């Protein structure tokens, strides 16, 4: 923390960093902490949506599952989401895989997030095509919520993305580097934030209704074909 304070203090900057946090019950939480320029923790977000078989172990009652996946560090699910009060605005945090879930980004904005922050560990996949696809999926969170999104990835690309999905600046994959860009707090609620997946759900219901009507009309059509033309 002293080293961080020297770095931040010289620039008058704040820092959002991912840290494992040990709770009162001894279990660890996958967290993101906002540090002041003198490296004092101001607020902490604990990851809510953990990645199965990487951060927690489902089906642990089966011995074979414990043998295959029981060697990683398990995290506990975080409690209610906390916004980080950064100087750039109230930041809603999406840690790693949370950023590929539209409902998570929508929840942060409905809770008052003015910008989105996505610290992510993508080093588990070394395939550049997958990394590019993952990055493109994350860009949709900015578009859906109309929020600036700042992404910091261990393996790249790290980037600053504007509310229309345009990449202001980004780093290369598997290369050390920095990305700088301007962000602004936004408070308006997009249509997706307001109604969520209601449009997609309504389309699904219309299709199901059409299939049901077609199925009901088939017996009548078959009966008409069997009866043939009416006698003269």
């Amino acid at each position: 923390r002293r080293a961080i304070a020297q770095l931040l203090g010289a620039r008058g900057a704040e820092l959002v960093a991912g840290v494992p946090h040990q709770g009162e019950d001894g279990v660890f939480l996958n967290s993101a902490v906002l540090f002041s320029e003198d490296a004092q923790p101001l607020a902490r977000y604990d990851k809510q949506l953990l990645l199965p078989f990487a951060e927690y172990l489902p089906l642990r009652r089966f011995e074979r599952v414990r043998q295959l996946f029981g060697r990683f560090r398990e995290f506990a699910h975080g409690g209610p989401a906390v916004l980080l009060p950064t100087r750039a605005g109230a930041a809603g945090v999406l840690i790693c895989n949370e950023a590929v879930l539209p409902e998570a980004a929508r929840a942060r904005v409905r809770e008052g997030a003015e910008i989105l922050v996505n610290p992510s560990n993508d080093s588990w996949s070394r395939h550049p095509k997958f990394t590019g696809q993952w990055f493109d999926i994350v860009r949709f969170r900015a578009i859906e919520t109309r929020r600036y999104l700042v992404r910091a990835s261990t393996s790249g690309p790290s980037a600053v993305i504007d509310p229309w999905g345009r990449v202001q600046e980004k780093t290369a994959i598997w290369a050390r580097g920095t990305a700088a860009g301007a962000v602004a707090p936004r408070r308006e609620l997009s249509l997706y934030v307001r109604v969520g997946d209601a449009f997609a759900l309504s389309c699904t219901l219309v299709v199901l209704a059409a299939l049901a009507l077609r199925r009901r009309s088939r017996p009548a059509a078959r009966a008409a074909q069997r009866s043939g033309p009416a006698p003269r």
Side-chain angles (χ1 to χ4, degrees):
R1 283 176 57 179
R2 285 195 297 269
I4 292 174
Q6 291 177 355
L7 180 67
L8 298 179
R11 294 162 175 78
E14 294 178 327
L15 173 68
V16 176
V19 295
H21 173 76
Q22 190 171 20
E24 296 179 357
D25 53 2
V27 299
F28 279 89
L29 299 158
N30 190 355
S31 306
V33 177
L34 171 64
F35 291 99
S36 65
E37 60 184 75
D38 56 353
Q40 296 300 317
L42 301 178
R44 188 188 78 243
Y45 165 77
D46 300 321
K47 187 177 183 183
Q48 296 178 320
L49 305 173
L50 301 178
L51 191 64
F53 301 107
E55 294 175 314
Y56 79 98
L57 187 62
L59 307 175
R60 58 167 48 253
R61 65 180 180 273
F62 296 106
E63 178 64 25
R64 184 57 179 165
V65 173
R66 293 198 300 270
Q67 290 176 355
L68 292 174
F69 301 99
R71 292 184 294 276
F72 61 84
R73 173 188 284 178
E74 283 196 73
F75 292 100
H77 291 268
V82 174
L83 300 178
L84 304 185
T86 74
R87 295 174 185 170
V93 181
L94 304 166
I95 296 180
C96 202
N97 63 288
E98 287 182 321
V100 303
L101 304 173
E103 62 271 20
R106 177 174 179 255
R108 300 294 178 272
V109 173
R110 290 181 66 88
E111 291 156 3
E114 298 170 328
I115 61 173
L116 296 175
V117 177
N118 172 221
S120 185
N121 176 15
D122 304 315
S123 58
W124 54 275
S125 174
R126 303 189 70 88
H127 200 293
K129 287 187 178 180
F130 177 84
T131 304
Q133 291 173 348
W134 194 266
F135 178 74
D136 288 338
I137 292 172
V138 172
R139 289 173 60 190
F140 276 104
R141 306 294 85 82
I143 299 170
E144 293 162 348
T145 61
R146 287 293 188 258
R147 292 295 187 270
Y148 283 90
L149 188 148
V150 180
R151 172 176 165 84
S153 170
T154 54
S155 61
S158 298
V160 180
I161 304 168
D162 75 8
W164 294 269
R166 297 174 298 201
V167 179
Q168 294 186 6
E169 187 77 22
K170 73 174 182 177
T171 63
I173 300 174
W174 296 108
R176 291 188 178 185
T178 58
V183 301
R186 295 173 62 91
R187 298 177 181 85
E188 68 274 16
L189 301 182
S190 67
L191 180 62
Y192 178 75
V193 172
R194 293 177 185 274
V195 303
D197 295 317
F199 176 74
L201 179 60
S202 63
C203 291
T204 303
L205 293 177
V206 169
V207 171
L208 292 176
L211 292 174
L213 290 174
R214 180 171 179 174
R215 185 169 184 176
R216 289 182 59 183
S217 65
R218 282 181 177 176
R222 293 195 188 99
Q225 290 176 354
R226 287 196 296 267
S227 61
R232 295 182 180 178

